């Protein structure tokens, strides 16, 4: 799969809006924003940003000290997950090579959980964090939750989420971001039409 052309966005801290999906593999896929744009926004532009993502996602309590190879591996896995999710959304067969790559990652060592004086401490390497993301992806795609996969209804957004809402009527990856933008744009359109 060719690597996407993207626009790096330097950033050291992940805001809450970076985790709208309620499931970490889909939030991880969302680290490449606006995928259909000519230059998508890359949120994992450096190994340090990958470290920050693992900590802010609360997968690891300490940065795994990612390097450039770790970053390339993480981005490759992210794109594999996206390819599989996109195939599931389109009701197409899952690409065999991507399934094999996902399963290879899922077989990796787990993140370490240890009890300490301040409670549970989660530590591990980038590959252990990626293994956790891969295992959760396997559970989503291979289980009942795969039927809940949706893509955000805001055309500029390509974030995928699990629609666990009552009646499965959720339209946006997050109301506070995409939902509000769409509603504000519709309001402005109505206002400009009324004044013409």
């Amino acid at each position: 799969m060719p690597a996407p052309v993207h626009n790096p966005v330097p950033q050291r801290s992940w805001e809450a809006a970076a985790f709208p999906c309620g499931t970490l593999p889909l939030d991880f896929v969302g680290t490449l924003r606006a995928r259909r744009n000519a230059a998508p926004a890359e949120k994992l532009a450096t190994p340090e940003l990958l470290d920050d993502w693992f900590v802010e996602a609360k997968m690891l309590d300490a940065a795994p000290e990612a390097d450039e190879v770790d970053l390339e591996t993480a981005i490759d896995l992210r794109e594999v997950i996206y390819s599989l999710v996109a195939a599931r959304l389109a009701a197409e067969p899952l690409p065999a090579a991507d399934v094999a790559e996902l399963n290879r990652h899922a077989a990796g060592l787990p993140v370490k959980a240890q009890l300490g004086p301040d409670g549970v401490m989660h530590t591990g390497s980038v590959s252990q964090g990626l293994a956790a993301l891969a295992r959760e992806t396997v559970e989503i795609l291979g289980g009942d939750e795969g039927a809940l996969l949706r893509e955000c209804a805001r055309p500029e957004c390509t974030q995928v989420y699990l629609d666990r809402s009552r009646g499965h009527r959720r339209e946006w990856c997050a109301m506070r971001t995409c939902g509000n933008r769409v509603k504000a744009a519709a309001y402005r359109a109505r206002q400009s039409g009324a004044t013409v």
Side-chain angles (χ1 to χ4, degrees):
M1 169 186 301
V5 176
H6 56 291
N7 178 26
V9 177
Q11 171 180 329
R12 280 304 306 231
S13 161
W14 293 91
E15 68 279 357
F19 302 97
C21 300
T23 183
L24 290 177
L26 298 179
D27 287 326
F28 190 63
V29 164
T31 60
L32 183 63
R33 304 273 171 90
R35 286 175 174 273
R36 286 187 283 276
N37 287 2
E42 177 60 78
K43 301 297 227 172
L44 296 178
T46 67
E48 294 78 19
L49 288 171
L50 178 60
D51 282 344
D52 290 346
W53 190 89
F54 278 120
V55 172
E56 292 294 321
K58 299 182 178 16
M59 288 186 71
L60 300 171
D61 293 311
E65 304 297 328
D67 61 22
E68 291 292 337
V69 172
D70 292 327
L71 179 61
E72 184 177 327
T73 301
I75 289 173
D76 287 347
L77 177 61
R78 178 188 70 191
E79 296 311 304
V80 162
I81 294 170
Y82 180 74
S83 168
L84 293 167
V85 166
R88 181 71 190 255
L89 284 169
E92 296 172 353
L94 300 180
D98 290 340
V99 169
E101 184 66 10
L102 180 69
N103 287 336
R104 186 182 70 75
H105 279 282
L109 293 172
V111 169
K112 296 177 203 165
Q114 296 178 310
L115 186 59
D118 296 324
V120 180
M121 179 79 168
H122 296 95
T123 59
S125 64
V126 169
S127 65
Q128 287 170 292
L130 295 177
L133 292 171
R135 280 190 288 277
E136 190 172 344
T137 303
V138 166
E139 295 293 336
I140 292 167
L141 292 174
D144 294 339
E145 285 193 313
L148 303 179
L149 286 165
R150 306 282 186 273
E151 186 176 78
C152 184
R154 186 171 73 92
E156 298 81 20
C157 183
T158 54
Q159 183 71 58
V160 179
Y161 59 91
L162 291 174
D163 182 4
R164 294 180 177 127
S165 67
R166 179 179 290 168
H168 305 296
R169 294 185 182 150
R170 180 175 166 188
E171 295 181 69
W172 325 111
C173 61
M175 186 62 203
R176 69 183 173 275
T177 54
C178 288
N180 285 340
R181 287 177 188 166
V182 170
K183 290 184 177 208
Y187 175 79
R188 285 191 302 272
R190 285 192 305 273
Q191 293 303 310
S192 66
T195 58
V196 174

